[in-house]
Amino acid sequence: MGSKEQEEEAEHLSDDESTVPTKSDSRHMTAVSLHSFGEPDGGDGGFSIKIIETMSEEYGMFVWPCGVVLAEYVWQQRRRFSGINVLELGAGTSLPGLVAAKLGADVTLTDDSRRVEALENIRRLCDLNKLKCKVMGLTWGVWDAHIFDLCPQIILGADVLYNASAFDDLFSTVTFLLQNSPGSVFITTYHNRSGHHLLEFLMIKWRLKCVKLVDGFSFMPSVKASKLSGNIQLVEIALSDEQDSAPGHVFS
C-alpha cells in the first residue's frame, strides 16, 4: 500500500466504541481507541482491547481496517486459539494478536527489528491491556538466531501485503515458519485491489496452498462493517501437500 492510498484509507479507520486523544504536538497526536468483541457483560466471554494509536507518518501505528477484520475473525474463531502458540507478523498496533492473547493463546508479537518505536509501543499495549505476550523484532527475510526457535501453530498478519518489494521476504519467512511447525497455518487479511492473481502467483512460487478464502465483510457485525471500506479478503494459507510436486492452481 502506497502512502497516498494509506492517507486516503485513514479517513475510514474504525474505533469500535471510542477514540480519546491523549497527546498532541507538532509531529503527531496519540489517541487510545477501544475495540470490543462479543458482549463484555454477556455470557460469551466478551472483552475490550485498548490500542494506542499515533497519527503520524509511521503507518504501523494505526489500526487499519484489515486489522479490525482479522481481530474479529480471531474472536469468532476463538475455540481455535485457546492454549496454542500464535505469532503475529508486522504486528504494528497488534490488535489481532492481543485478541488471541486474551483468548488464552501464547502469543509472540513481532515487527521489523529496525522499528524500535513500534516495538516499544507493542510493549506498552501489552501492559495497557494486562496481557503477557512475547515481543520481538523480526525482519522478514532475515535469519536471526531466534527465528529458528519459533514454532507457531497459527501465524497472523493484517495488511502485510502492501509493499510489493517485500513480498518475497514475507513469504520466505512465512514458509519457513510453516515448515518449522507442521500443521500450522498463516491467516492474513488484505485489500484485494487487482484480483487474486498476485497472491496465487506467490503461493505457487513458494509451494503453498489456500485452505480458506472469505470476504472480510461476510462475518463482520454490521455495526463494525459500516465503519470500514474497501474490498478486504481473508485467506488461510498452509504448506502444499507435496511441496516438491508440480504446482497447480491454489485457488478453487
Side-chain angles (χ1 to χ4, degrees), residues 48-70:
S48 294
I49 297 289
K50 295 178 182 178
I51 298 294
I52 303 169
E53 300 185 71
T54 301
M55 312 304 172
S56 69
E57 294 182 358
E58 180 56 77
Y59 292 112
M61 306 288 274
F62 290 112
V63 178
W64 296 102
C66 282
V68 176
V69 172
L70 183 55

Side-chain angles (χ1 to χ4, degrees), residues 68-97:
V68 176
V69 172
L70 183 55
E72 179 65 28
Y73 186 75
V74 172
W75 160 252
Q76 294 195 19
Q77 298 276 313
R78 50 193 176 277
R79 290 183 178 84
R80 295 174 65 181
F81 286 85
S82 179
I84 68 167
N85 292 324
V86 172
L87 181 140
E88 184 173 1
L89 293 172
T93 52
S94 309
L95 183 59

Side-chain angles (χ1 to χ4, degrees), residues 154-176:
I154 293 181
I155 306 161
L156 300 174
D159 212 4
V160 291
L161 294 167
Y162 64 88
N163 182 357
S165 65
F167 285 172
D168 278 327
D169 287 338
L170 169 63
F171 272 80
S172 66
T173 299
V174 168
T175 301
F176 172 82

Side-chain angles (χ1 to χ4, degrees), residues 151-198:
C151 297
Q153 292 157 282
I154 293 181
I155 306 161
L156 300 174
D159 212 4
V160 291
L161 294 167
Y162 64 88
N163 182 357
S165 65
F167 285 172
D168 278 327
D169 287 338
L170 169 63
F171 272 80
S172 66
T173 299
V174 168
T175 301
F176 172 82
L177 292 170
L178 292 174
Q179 291 172 337
N180 213 35
S181 185
S184 58
V185 63
F186 173 46
I187 308 175
T188 184
T189 46
Y190 64 98
H191 284 271
N192 183 22
R193 297 182 175 86
S194 57
H196 300 298
H197 305 297
L198 177 58

